[in-house]
Amino acid sequence: MDVQRFAAFSDGDSGGNPAGVVICDALPEAAVMQAIAAQVGYSETVFAAPAPGGWRVRYFAPEVEIPFCGHATIALGAALALQEGDGVFALQLNDVAISVEGRRTGPLVAAALQSPPTSSQPATARMLAEVLALFSLSADDLDPRIPPAIANAGANHLVLALNSRDRLAAMRYDLDAGRIFMTAGDMATVSMVFAETPRLFHARNPFAAGGVYEDPATGAAAAALAGYLRDLGWPHGGAIDIIQGEDMGMRSILHAQIEPERGSSIRVSGATRAM
């Protein structure tokens, strides 16, 4: 199959999170898609096929299928805009319907997704103790304004807000131990963030459950974080910007637009470049 490659949420013509995109007449068997994703080797590869009213979509990490992936959706929006022309494309995922918009802007494609509905709940004491141990952190490293929580916008993400940009930069953990922790907790990533201002965040996203040490840009986690901040009553002013991947040398920029209605979809946007 023809696998297109895009870097989603790029910083102009550099950075971004690579994703594979396969657009086909009909989706192959799950085992075939899993094998292709493993061969591509990116944190996610998205598969799309025409369906009544839009496109049927599934996402695969190298080791497992996942319910939703933000940066791969942005990459798909770019691929569809290049193939079909600028527009908004309806996507049917395994469990929910969303949309992605793609518009060509010179050598780049601007893309924006509407996430699944959001929700959040406090992290349990046991979960918090385990994640602090995993990353060699203590309670003194946390930002008390943003308590640890499970945030969801199509997949679960454990939000862990740190009080120091340096502590975020020093993130380290054991991949195998992280895979066990995240799989047992049914979470896609740990969303580690630092709030430079109420509207500007720095983020790192370990994705051990998918066999990936860290993602340079994570749209699903951005949507989940934005929904959680709304639940907290955080002074976001209607939108936040997230810089991710900087500590990996793959600086990525994500913009999340936050409507006031609790639980409503988050619009996550960014630039995309072909690889």
Side-chain angles (χ1 to χ4, degrees), residues 31-139:
V32 174
M33 292 187 281
Q34 186 66 77
I36 292 172
Q39 184 177 26
V40 171
Y42 293 153
S43 58
E44 279 91 10
T45 296
V46 57
F47 297 81
W55 298 82
R56 178 69 174 96
V57 174
R58 294 175 73 173
Y59 307 91
F60 286 81
E63 297 183 4
V64 66
E65 182 175 7
I66 60 172
F68 171 61
C69 173
H71 85 274
T73 302
I74 291 292
L76 175 60
L80 289 174
L82 293 172
Q83 175 178 298
E84 306 288 328
D86 296 352
V88 178
F89 306 98
L91 310 180
Q92 179 60 56
L93 313 188
N94 286 352
D95 301 314
V96 68
I98 64 170
S99 66
V100 66
E101 180 179 357
R103 301 201 178 277
R104 292 160 291 181
T105 57
L108 303 176
V109 179
L113 65 86
Q114 288 293 153
S115 78
T118 69
S119 61
S120 65
Q121 60 183 354
T124 65
R126 177 177 178 178
M127 184 180 295
L128 177 57
E130 290 179 355
V131 74
L132 291 178
L134 177 64
F135 291 98
S136 301
L137 296 168
S138 73

